[in-house]
């Protein structure tokens, strides 16, 4: 009946989204009075792998023969072997690229029920009920899971990782992948991430829309983001006309994000835009039109011209940082 | 190239979401349906572009009851050659994926394309399941797709970096923004769609998970307006009241 969590690594440590999944899986195990095991793919030291224990798992299976990069086909084999080794009945992934690539395959192979993008711990008081966002965050649905094996992917930034344990026992896990030929070839990185904050993992995001009038005006947005240590995002029309790169486009047809703070500048707040950001904990809207629909979804609003307000806000953050460091 | 494109019906993006039957069912009253944008704008259009350069055939498939015919016609008008409808309520990803995989298993499709996710259930589940059931490779969230000889080369964004993943055909790929540009059907396409064949098949696959209750998020409290020259107090509020910095 145990719980198995798949965790990915980046730069020698377990990824933040994976730590959330580990903590989530460990809390489910505690709820069901069973044990939680993490299976870690990627190159990390035993000490780093053992840190998964701080988030509640008692054991870590450290895959010894995966390639350095993420390969969904090999991870699928790894997780299937780990499910077998740990007799897991609940398998948890983060709802990130790895989770989206591998969890559906695992669920299909095991004919397990799958709920992807869970936003809360399951209710196990009668049956097993998992909550997720539906209609692009405009509603929530509770899924009843009755299959013997259950697969869940956890939406990043929705259930915080909790430290409540000590180092876990690390076991080298030979999933016998050495002889397995991946059917995928991962060729090259087209655009390496340039440092800065990753939009999908960012806790603070500054986003701007057509109200900026011209791409050259983005310098004030970037300055604000840099001062705050925030990632930048944009509305769809702005990426469609090439003012900003496509990967910054948030919303129903772009990416969905759930930062702690979302600052929207010169964005009207169309329903399709809100669909990608309505999971943010706090929303600040800066718009010169007091009737802009975004104000209805905002916690704090500033009615004014972005060209004047944004530099003032940057200055205020600078002062705040100086006073609080 | 024989290409299968999975399309699904979703409520128009401006739909007001409400529920009936004690919050157990989505209220379909007055709801306008559209083709899921990822399926229409990216997966279908890229399939048509591939057919235009490499020759072949584009079949669309959807799991749903008779009410989904309107979106099937729309996809045919954009240029798909023929359509398959599996006559069954699309109750969960498993039953949809299994029905599609069963249909596709002996048809010799070189490539199966789907959307990254549906904008109603936001699953990202169906295409990966189809791939596993057919024992084929799966590349999720492709933002660019090329067919080179007997393989596909797909750009994907993983954690802020773009990687190129390639694999041999046949395979399954899900489409994210960037794979193609939206096409508006023209009059000729709309006329031609009327006479294209839609084959209706059945399936008895049962769902594995079930929604037992819907709810709406807690309404936001009234916005707090801050004077445009009081940015210091906004930052203070974000620190002391909202506690996000
Ligand atoms: C099927 C579909 C899917 C879509 N998906 C998405 C999506 O994923 N993401 C998305 O963002 N959109 C999406 N859209 C588009 C969406 O409907 C809106 O058109 C879009 O979000 C508007 O972008 P905007 O707010 O930047 O521009 P606008 O609507 O033009 O708003 C600009 C705002 O800037 C304000 N402004 C102007 N000048 C200033 C100034 N000097 N200072 C301060 N404020 C100023 C204006 O008052 C206005 O509110 C979708 C649409 C459809 C039909
Ligand atoms: N009922 C359906 N019929 C056909 N294809 C579907 C159906 N539901 C989902 N799909 C396909 O699977 C993709 C991902 O859907 P989902 O896993 O539900 O997020 C969609 O973009 C479609 O391409």
């Amino acid at each position: 009946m145990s719980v198995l969590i798949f965790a990915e690594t980046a730069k020698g440590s377990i990824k933040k989204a994976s730590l959330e999944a580990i903590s989530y899986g460990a809390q489910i195990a505690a709820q069901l009075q069973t044990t939680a095991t993490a299976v870690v793919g990627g190159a990390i030291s035993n000490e780093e792998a053992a840190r998964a224990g701080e988030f509640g798992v008692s054991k870590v299976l450290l895959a010894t023969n995966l390639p350095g990069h993420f390969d969904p086909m090999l991870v699928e084999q790894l997780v299937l072997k780990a499910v077998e080794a740990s007799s897991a009945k609940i398998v948890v992934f983060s709802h990130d690229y790895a989770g989206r690539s591998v969890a559906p395959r695992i669920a299909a192979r095991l004919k397990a029920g799958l709920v992807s993008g869970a936003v809360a711990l399951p209710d196990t008081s009668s049956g097993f009920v998992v909550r997720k966002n539906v209609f692009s965050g405009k509603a929530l649905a509770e899924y009843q899971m009755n299959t013997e094996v259950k697969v869940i992917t956890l939406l990043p930034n929705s259930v915080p990782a909790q430290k409540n344990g000590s180092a876990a026992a690390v076991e080298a896990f030979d999933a016998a992948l050495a002889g397995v030929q991946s059917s995928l070839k991962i060729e090259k990185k087209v655009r390496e991430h340039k440092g800065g904050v990753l939009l999908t993992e960012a806790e603070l995001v500054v986003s701007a829309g057509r109200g900026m009038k011209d791409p050259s005006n983005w310098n004030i947005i970037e300055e604000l983001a840099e001062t705050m240590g925030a990632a930048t995002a944009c509305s769809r029309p702005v990426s469609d006309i090439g003012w900003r790169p496509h990967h910054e486009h948030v919303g129903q047809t772009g990416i969905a994000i759930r930062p702690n703070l979302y600052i929207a500048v010169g964005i009207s707040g169309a329903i399709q835009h809100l669909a990608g950001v309505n999971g943010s904990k706090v929303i600040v809207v800066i718009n010169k039109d007091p009737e802009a629909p975004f104000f209805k979804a905002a916690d704090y609003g500033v009615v004014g011209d972005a060209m004047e307000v944004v530099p003032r806000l940057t200055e205020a953050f600078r002062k705040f940082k100086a006073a609080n460091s | 190239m024989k290409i299968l494109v999975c399309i699904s019906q979703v409520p128009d993006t401006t739909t007001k979401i409400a529920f009936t039957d004690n919050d157990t069912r989505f209220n379909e009253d007055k709801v306008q349906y559209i083709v899921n944008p990822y399926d229409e704008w990216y997966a279908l259009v890229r399939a048509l572009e591939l057919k235009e350069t490499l020759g072949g055939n584009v079949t669309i498939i959807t799991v749903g009851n008779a009410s989904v015919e309107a979106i099937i016609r729309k996809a045919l008008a954009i240029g798909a050659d023929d359509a398959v409808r599996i006559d069954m309520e699309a109750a969960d990803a498993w039953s949809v994926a299994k029905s599609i995989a069963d249909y596709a298993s002996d048809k010799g499709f070189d490539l199966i394309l789907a959307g990254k996710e549906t904008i109603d259930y936001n699953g990202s589940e169906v295409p990966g399941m189809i791939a596993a059931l057919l024992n084929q490779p799966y590349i999720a969230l492709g933002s660019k797709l090329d067919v080179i000889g007997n393989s596909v080369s797909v750009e994907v964004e993983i954690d802020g970096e773009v990687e190129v993943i390639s694999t041999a055909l046949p395979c399954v790929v899900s489409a994210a923004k960037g794979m193609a540009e939206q096409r508006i059907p023209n009059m000729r396409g709309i006329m031609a769609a009327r006479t294209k064949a839609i084959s209706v098949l059945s399936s008895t696959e049962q769902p594995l998970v079930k929604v037992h209750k819907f709810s709406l998020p807690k309404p936001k409290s009234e916005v707090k307006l801050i004077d445009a020259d009081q940015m210091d107090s906004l930052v203070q509020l974000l620190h002391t009241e909202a506690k996000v910095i």
Side-chain angles (χ1 to χ4, degrees), chain B residues 101-237:
Chain B
D102 285 347
Y103 164 79
S105 62
D106 59 355
K107 304 293 185 298
F109 290 106
D110 299 295
L111 176 64
I112 299 180
L113 279 171
K116 153 186 148 177
E117 64 184 32
T118 46
I119 62 166
D120 50 3
Y121 289 95
N122 307 106
S124 268
E125 298 173 0
V126 169
M129 288 183 177
I130 295 174
L133 290 167
L134 293 173
N135 265 315
Q136 289 182 10
Y138 171 49
I139 304 175
L141 276 64
S143 50
K144 193 165 181 289
L145 176 153
D146 288 303
V147 173
I148 301 158
N150 202 25
S151 59
V152 288
S153 165
V154 181
E155 271 188 30
V156 302
E157 183 168 330
I158 303 178
D159 297 342
E161 295 182 346
V162 179
E163 295 192 354
V164 182
I165 306 181
S166 56
T167 191
L169 298 172
C171 66
V172 181
V173 178
S174 79
K177 183 182 179 180
M179 190 183 276
E181 296 282 340
Q182 183 180 11
R183 281 188 189 178
I184 310 292
N186 57 25
M187 209 51 207
R188 217 180 53 190
I190 294 168
M191 297 303 285
R194 293 195 184 151
T195 56
K196 286 179 182 168
I198 303 179
S199 25
V200 179
L201 307 173
S202 60
S203 164
T204 52
E205 208 53 54
Q206 293 299 312
L208 298 180
V209 296
K210 220 168 94 200
V211 175
H212 92 149
K213 200 171 177 53
F214 288 102
S215 58
L216 294 173
K218 284 196 274 344
K220 277 254 174 195
S221 47
E222 198 61 9
V223 57
K224 211 175 237 187
L225 288 179
I226 316 289
D227 236 32
D229 50 17
Q230 298 291 318
M231 287 306 99
D232 287 322
S233 28
L234 174 58
V235 171
Q236 272 312 317
L237 284 169

Side-chain angles (χ1 to χ4, degrees), chain A residues 142-164:
Chain A
E142 286 173 14
Y143 278 82
Q144 183 81 49
M145 301 182 85
N146 295 328
T147 47
E148 193 197 355
V149 182
K150 304 169 180 67
V151 181
I152 305 172
T153 68
L154 173 68
L155 203 63
N157 255 353
S158 45
V159 183
Q162 276 182 22
K163 281 202 181 182
N164 57 359

Side-chain angles (χ1 to χ4, degrees), chain A residues 15 70 73 95 97 100-101 104-105 107-109 111-116 129 132-147 183-193 198 204 236 239-240 246-247 249 252-255 260-261 271-272 280-284 295-303 309 312-313 316-317 319-320 324, chain B residues 11-15 17 19 26 37-38 41-42 94 116-117 119-125 128-129 131-133 135-141 153 155-168 177 182 205 208-217 220-229 231-232 234-239 241-242 244-245:
Chain A
K15 277 175 49 177
F70 166 70
M73 293 305 168
H95 193 59
Y97 189 82
R100 289 180 194 239
S101 302
R105 296 190 64 106
R109 296 264 187 227
K111 207 178 169 186
L114 167 63
V115 171
S116 57
V129 176
K132 70 169 276 184
N133 289 344
V134 288
F135 299 103
S136 303
K138 287 184 257 177
L140 291 151
E142 286 173 14
Y143 278 82
Q144 183 81 49
M145 301 182 85
N146 295 328
T147 47
S183 48
L184 298 181
K185 206 169 122 222
I186 315 241
E187 287 181 83
K188 62 174 176 216
K189 302 204 166 170
V190 176
R191 168 173 53 80
E192 298 262 351
H193 182 54
L198 203 56
L204 311 173
R236 181 174 130 201
S239 74
D240 280 354
H246 281 306
H247 59 86
H249 159 198
Q252 193 141 35
T253 47
I255 57 167
N260 290 341
L261 173 60
I271 192 157
Q272 298 95 350
S280 311
K281 290 195 182 72
V282 173
I283 295 180
V284 173
F295 284 117
K296 289 206 178 67
D299 300 277
Y300 300 98
V302 182
V303 179
V309 176
R312 275 186 218 146
L313 184 56
F317 269 110
K319 272 197 265 167
F320 173 79
N324 287 271
Chain B
D12 177 83
T13 52
T14 54
T15 304
I17 305 299
F19 303 104
F26 172 56
Y38 295 107
W41 303 353
Y42 311 132
W94 162 265
K116 153 186 148 177
E117 64 184 32
I119 62 166
D120 50 3
Y121 289 95
N122 307 106
S124 268
E125 298 173 0
M129 288 183 177
L133 290 167
N135 265 315
Q136 289 182 10
Y138 171 49
I139 304 175
L141 276 64
S153 165
E155 271 188 30
V156 302
E157 183 168 330
I158 303 178
D159 297 342
E161 295 182 346
V162 179
E163 295 192 354
V164 182
I165 306 181
S166 56
T167 191
K177 183 182 179 180
Q182 183 180 11
E205 208 53 54
L208 298 180
V209 296
K210 220 168 94 200
V211 175
H212 92 149
K213 200 171 177 53
F214 288 102
S215 58
L216 294 173
K220 277 254 174 195
S221 47
E222 198 61 9
V223 57
K224 211 175 237 187
L225 288 179
I226 316 289
D227 236 32
D229 50 17
M231 287 306 99
D232 287 322
L234 174 58
V235 171
Q236 272 312 317
L237 284 169
L238 291 174
H239 180 56
E241 187 178 80
V244 287
I245 56 167

Side-chain angles (χ1 to χ4, degrees), chain A residues 1-322:
Chain A
M1 182 65 198
S2 80
V3 179
L4 179 77
I5 305 107
F6 170 69
E8 258 191 298
T9 63
K11 300 190 190 81
S13 318
I14 298 175
K15 277 175 49 177
K16 176 179 171 237
S18 294
L19 288 178
E20 290 174 1
I22 287 173
S23 165
Y24 180 82
Q27 290 177 71
I28 296 178
Q31 243 170 276
L32 300 173
Q33 296 173 354
T34 177
T35 53
T37 304
V39 57
V40 179
I44 59 170
S45 64
N46 273 17
E47 292 71 48
E48 274 299 314
R51 280 195 53 215
E54 295 172 18
F55 296 88
V57 293
S58 50
K59 190 153 96 183
V60 174
L61 303 174
L62 184 57
T64 48
N65 46 13
L66 275 188
H69 56 265
F70 166 70
D71 182 325
M73 293 305 168
L74 295 182
V75 168
E76 175 186 352
Q77 292 306 315
L78 172 70
V79 174
L80 285 173
K81 292 266 164 52
V83 168
E84 210 179 278
S86 63
S87 357
K89 293 287 180 269
I90 296 167
V91 188
V92 177
F93 290 83
S94 169
H95 193 59
D96 53 9
Y97 189 82
R100 289 180 194 239
S101 302
V102 183
R105 296 190 64 106
I106 300 283
R109 296 264 187 227
L110 302 175
K111 207 178 169 186
L114 167 63
V115 171
S116 57
V119 295
L121 282 164
D123 179 350
T124 49
S125 55
S126 75
F128 195 97
V129 176
V130 180
R131 197 138 51 105
K132 70 169 276 184
N133 289 344
V134 288
F135 299 103
S136 303
K138 287 184 257 177
L140 291 151
E142 286 173 14
Y143 278 82
Q144 183 81 49
M145 301 182 85
N146 295 328
T147 47
E148 193 197 355
V149 182
K150 304 169 180 67
V151 181
I152 305 172
T153 68
L154 173 68
L155 203 63
N157 255 353
S158 45
V159 183
Q162 276 182 22
K163 281 202 181 182
N164 57 359
S166 51
V170 179
E171 211 173 87
F173 187 60
D174 181 358
L177 297 171
V180 180
Q181 190 64 42
S182 172
S183 48
L184 298 181
K185 206 169 122 222
I186 315 241
E187 287 181 83
K188 62 174 176 216
K189 302 204 166 170
V190 176
R191 168 173 53 80
E192 298 262 351
H193 182 54
K194 283 197 283 301
V197 187
L198 203 56
L199 180 56
T200 44
E201 286 191 356
E203 288 177 357
L204 311 173
V205 173
V206 179
S207 184
R210 215 149 47 175
M212 295 306 291
K213 303 288 192 311
D214 190 89
S216 65
N217 292 329
W218 249 266
N219 61 332
I220 59 170
I221 298 299
E222 280 169 350
E223 220 182 316
L224 173 59
E226 209 175 298
T227 309
M228 295 171 58
T232 50
C234 70
S235 68
R236 181 174 130 201
V238 160
S239 74
D240 280 354
I241 50 183
W243 288 4
R244 298 298 293 175
H246 281 306
H247 59 86
E248 279 196 359
H249 159 198
V250 293
Q252 193 141 35
T253 47
I255 57 167
I257 53 171
R258 309 167 60 76
N260 290 341
L261 173 60
Y262 183 75
I263 302 186
V265 185
I267 301 176
S268 56
I271 192 157
Q272 298 95 350
H273 183 85
L274 295 181
V277 303
N278 53 14
S280 311
K281 290 195 182 72
V282 173
I283 295 180
V284 173
V285 168
I286 300 173
N287 198 303
K288 70 169 187 193
D289 174 10
E291 303 295 323
F294 218 147
F295 284 117
K296 289 206 178 67
D299 300 277
Y300 300 98
V302 182
V303 179
D305 186 339
M307 302 308 146
E308 291 163 16
V309 176
V310 172
R312 275 186 218 146
L313 184 56
T314 306
E315 201 39 50
F317 269 110
R318 261 198 204 116
K319 272 197 265 167
F320 173 79
K321 281 221 149 156

